[in-house]
């Protein structure tokens, strides 16, 4: 008899029901929501702080590679080659803020929590080994006492 191969639909269902696929989907959704928070922090706090020293938005910082640079109000370049380094700086700040928030609010607390859990598990395991060793020692003492008792019993007439 030949084995029945699972259908493509059953294979797809098995793939979707794996834990890591669902975890990845949850991570993507949470990451998207978290991105909105970080973007709000950058637009609401970081950009105004930078704007206190210059323009109100990092996107307006630029240099001209080939002068003279002229950019229309709609953002199209009419003359020259402008380098929009302000938007790169803004994206870099967004990345650094995101990385810092993820590290300090998620990774660091979770690693400390997991380290505490591992220490508790090792302490519990160590205590269990001590109990097992002490039980073994007690059993050895009982064995030695029985051997000694048996040995002294054979010496009697």
């Amino acid at each position: 008899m030949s084995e029945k191969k699972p259908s493509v639909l059953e294979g797809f269902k098995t793939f979707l029901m794996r834990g890591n696929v669902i975890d990845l989907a949850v991570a993507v959704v949470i990451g998207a929501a978290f991105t909105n928070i970080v973007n709000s922090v950058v637009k609401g706090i970081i950009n105004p702080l930078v704007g206190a020293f210059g323009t109100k938005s990092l996107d307006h910082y630029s240099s001209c590679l080939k002068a003279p640079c002229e950019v229309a109000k709609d953002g199209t370049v009419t003359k020259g080659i402008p380098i929009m380094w302000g938007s790169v700086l803004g994206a870099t700040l967004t990345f650094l803020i995101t990385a810092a928030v993820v590290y300090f609010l998620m990774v660091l607390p979770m690693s400390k929590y997991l380290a505490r859990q591992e220490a508790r598990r090792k302490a519990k395991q160590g205590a269990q080994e001590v109990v097992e060793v002490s039980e073994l020692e007690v059993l050895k003492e009982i064995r030695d006492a029985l051997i000694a008792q048996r040995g002294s019993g054979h010496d009697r007439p």
Side-chain angles (χ1 to χ4, degrees):
M1 291 187 153
S2 65
E3 289 183 27
K4 182 182 175 186
K5 288 187 173 182
S7 71
V8 174
L9 212 50
E10 288 173 354
F12 184 65
K13 180 181 175 186
T14 302
F15 170 74
L16 287 179
M17 297 318 267
R18 286 185 190 159
N20 53 355
V21 172
I22 293 171
D23 290 344
L24 181 61
V26 168
V28 168
V29 170
I30 289 175
F34 188 71
T35 300
N36 289 334
I37 293 171
V38 172
N39 286 339
S40 296
V41 168
V42 170
K43 288 179 184 172
I45 298 173
I46 303 298
N47 284 351
L49 288 174
V50 172
F53 299 106
T55 62
K56 293 193 179 201
S57 173
L58 288 175
D59 293 335
H60 296 295
Y61 287 101
S62 66
S63 297
C64 192
L65 186 61
K66 186 175 178 185
C69 284
E70 293 179 15
V71 180
K73 289 186 180 183
D74 63 351
T76 59
V77 177
T78 56
K79 199 173 192 186
I81 302 173
I83 303 294
M84 306 301 288
W85 58 269
S87 59
V88 174
L89 179 63
T92 304
L93 285 173
T94 300
F95 170 76
L96 290 175
I97 291 167
T98 304
V101 169
V102 167
Y103 180 76
F104 289 113
L105 295 182
M106 295 175 156
V107 173
L108 193 62
M110 183 56 81
S111 64
K112 286 183 179 181
Y113 171 76
L114 292 175
R116 281 195 306 264
Q117 292 295 92
E118 184 65 19
R120 286 182 189 149
R121 187 188 65 76
K122 283 184 179 181
K124 190 176 184 181
Q125 191 176 30
Q128 216 170 16
E129 288 176 3
V130 168
V131 169
E132 289 174 6
V133 168
S134 64
E135 286 177 0
L136 185 62
E137 292 297 321
V138 169
L139 288 174
K140 284 181 182 178
E141 288 176 10
I142 292 171
R143 179 198 66 197
D144 293 344
L146 287 173
I147 290 173
Q149 189 178 27
R150 212 184 269 165
S152 64
H154 286 290
D155 291 344
R156 286 189 211 169

